[in-house]
Each structure stands twice: as structure tokens, then as C-alpha cells.
Amino acid sequence: MRREGSLENGQITLDDDASGCLDRLAADVLGELPGQAAVADWAGPAADPVVASGSYVVDPPFFGDGDIGRLAVCGSVNDLAAQGAEPVWITLGLTVEAGLPTALLRRVLMSVRDTASEAGVRVHGFDARVVRPGEAQRLFAHTTALGIRRGPLPRPRDTAAGDLLLLTSPLGGWAVHLLSVREGLGLETLVPSGCRPLHSMLRDVVASVRPGAVRQVRRIMRGGLAKVLEAQAVAAGLTVRVAQESLPVQPEVDSAAELLGIDPLHVTDEGCLCLRVAADAADTVRGALRAHPYGLGAAVIGEVTTATEPVALLAERGGRTRRLDARATLWPEPARLR
């Protein structure tokens, strides 16, 4: 007979929510967690703290080169990095569906531990709740991460005509990787998810140029690159123009996207950042990106123009120019890519 809180039947149950065994499992994998009392130990009067919170739902929660645990840590670290902050610690919450094999929960916790170690951050706290079968797509993750800002936060009015736009890696890999796993296409061995902590790469980039040359860093979330470009154009009150032939897209991603009915311009991309930089710093930034293992596919894709209409334009290969509309319904993003 199963003892309450023992996890010995190999599956999570509703009883485990109150028994404390999930906390014990987390402590076994993650080690002793400092908790809130230790927060004051690092924060001095000169610290400029930045906080990022996120909830992560992904289908499937275990994919070719990662899982929801790695996604949660990378997403939080990259949120801080995009705001110019150096990540320090992260807290993790999990919503776990009853019936999830204990081995899979342990796997997620190990992934969190290993990814946090890779990123150089400390897991500072943990909590978990168990819900009935069918209520949580196996499991959801929730994080709060804290970092210290490295410099002043760029403002929309810092945008200048002539600023150049760069991508740190090829587009579309995250969506094609997940959908390949979901549909059993087998392309995940050819197309990596790109789920990586990118703060060290951004640190190298910022250190390679004068202060203020990196104007803005944006993650490519729901709505894709089209939404990022449109938001930049609206904030600056200027036209942003990108060239289709300059967009870095793997041939396998291009072919798979057409097969799956998605457009790399309109989907979440966990491993890709969009940087806006001063024109005279673009070559240096691209060089710094390509010197890092996570930025080998970096490319300049377009520029901020002198036109004062706040729109994003795509110059297509055939010579036609069209407006990028983040609300376009022609290529809807599949559910739960993030």
C-alpha cells in the first residue's frame, strides 16, 4: 500500500500537494534553497534591481533538445538580459497534473538545475501544486527572476534614422522544432529549438562597442519578428524597413514552414533576439555575436529610415514592398509554442 507522500508508486497524486514530498524531491535535485532571507545579502545601496516574471506553457512539454524546465530558466534569464540586466537568481513554481510520472518531474527539476548552472544563476525558491488530470497539459512552469542592471535602459526616443537591425540567430527554428515533435516529422534532429541562455552573448556585445551603441534588445515572442518591428516603428514614429533576402532562415525551416502553414516572421522564436544598434557599430556587433557559439548565424536585416510613417515594411525578393502587420491572420501562430 502506498504511504502518503512517498511517491513510491511512480506517479504524482493529489495527496502529494500537501504531503511535502514534492518539496523534498526538489531539494534532492536542486539542493538547499536560500529562500527570501538571503535576498538582502547581495543587494547593496548602489544596486539597480530588475525583476522578470513569466509563466510557461508548451506543447509538448518535453521536446527534442530540451523541456519546459529549460525553457523557463532560459526565458527568465533572457527577459532580464534584454532589459540590460545581469541575472542573479530565479524562483520556480510548477503546476503538476496528477498522474505525471515522478521520473518526468525529476527530469524537469534536473533540467532546471543544469540550465541554471549553465546560466550562472541560483535557484532561490521552489513551490509546486498538483491539479486534477486534464487541467495542466502535464505541467506548467512559473518563474520570477532577479538581476542587476548593467547600464541605462534604452528609450524609444533614442531611436535614430539610420539605426540598423540585427538578428542574433536564424528565424523559425523554435516553431519548426516543436511542431516537428508534435506532428512526428523527425525534423527536430536537423533544426534545433534554440532554447538557450543568451545573457553572456549580450554581455560580450555590449562590451564590444561604446556605451549607448546598442539601442534596444527585444525578444521575439508571440506575433513574431513582425510584431517586434511594428512596435519599434510605432514607438519611434519612423518607418522600419527589412529585406527578405537578408533574413537568416535555415533551408530546412523554410521548407518545413511552408509544409506546416506558418511564416517565420510571425511566430515566437525563443533562441533569437532582435537588436537595434547605431549604424557605425553594426559590424562590430555582428562580429561579437558571431564570435559567440549562440550567435553564429547573426545577420543585419534592415534599418530605421527617415520616413515618418510609423510602419514596418518588408522588401520582398521579387521587388515588391509590403507592410508587416503583426495582427495578420494569414499565418496564425499555432497554440502553445510558448
Side-chain angles (χ1 to χ4, degrees), residues 38-119:
V39 173
D41 294 343
W42 63 266
D48 185 7
V50 180
V51 175
S53 295
S55 295
Y56 299 86
V57 181
V58 62
D59 180 16
F62 302 90
F63 43 91
D65 58 7
D67 55 48
I68 194 170
R70 181 170 179 82
L71 171 64
V73 176
C74 290
S76 299
V77 166
N78 295 342
D79 273 342
L80 290 174
Q83 298 180 67
E86 192 68 25
V88 177
W89 56 250
I90 184 172
T91 66
L92 174 70
L94 294 176
T95 302
V96 184
E97 203 173 83
L100 181 76
T102 306
L104 291 184
L105 179 56
R106 179 179 288 273
R107 173 179 163 184
V108 169
L109 292 171
M110 292 174 64
S111 180
V112 167
R113 178 198 64 196
D114 295 344
T115 308
S117 177
E118 177 187 351

Side-chain angles (χ1 to χ4, degrees), residues 167 169-180 185-194 247-269 272 317 331 337:
L167 293 181
S169 63
L171 276 176
W174 171 252
V176 168
H177 184 94
L178 284 188
L179 291 174
S180 175
L185 301 180
L187 295 173
E188 62 273 15
T189 58
L190 300 174
V191 180
S193 72
L247 296 174
V249 180
Q250 281 183 256
E252 296 87 351
V253 169
D254 210 14
S255 299
E258 186 174 353
L259 174 67
L260 294 165
I262 61 173
D263 183 346
L265 277 167
H266 289 272
V267 293
T268 300
D269 205 316
C272 188
R317 291 187 181 92
W331 299 94
L337 288 182

Side-chain angles (χ1 to χ4, degrees), residues 236-300:
L238 295 170
T239 298
V240 171
R241 183 184 181 92
V242 297
Q244 187 177 32
E245 63 182 10
S246 298
L247 296 174
V249 180
Q250 281 183 256
E252 296 87 351
V253 169
D254 210 14
S255 299
E258 186 174 353
L259 174 67
L260 294 165
I262 61 173
D263 183 346
L265 277 167
H266 289 272
V267 293
T268 300
D269 205 316
E270 283 293 334
C272 188
L273 302 173
C274 181
L275 278 58
R276 178 169 50 79
V277 305
D280 61 358
D283 287 342
T284 302
V285 168
R286 180 173 53 188
L289 288 169
R290 290 182 175 178
H292 194 281
Y294 294 161
L296 298 177
V300 177

Side-chain angles (χ1 to χ4, degrees), residues 201-248:
M201 180 179 70
L202 286 178
R203 186 192 311 134
D204 293 347
V205 167
V206 172
S208 71
V209 293
R210 71 180 189 279
V214 178
R215 313 283 205 207
Q216 190 176 50
V217 179
R218 291 287 301 269
R219 295 186 66 205
I220 299 177
M221 307 309 300
R222 291 196 66 84
L225 179 62
K227 184 174 182 179
V228 170
L229 297 175
E230 185 180 63
Q232 289 189 342
V234 170
L238 295 170
T239 298
V240 171
R241 183 184 181 92
V242 297
Q244 187 177 32
E245 63 182 10
S246 298
L247 296 174

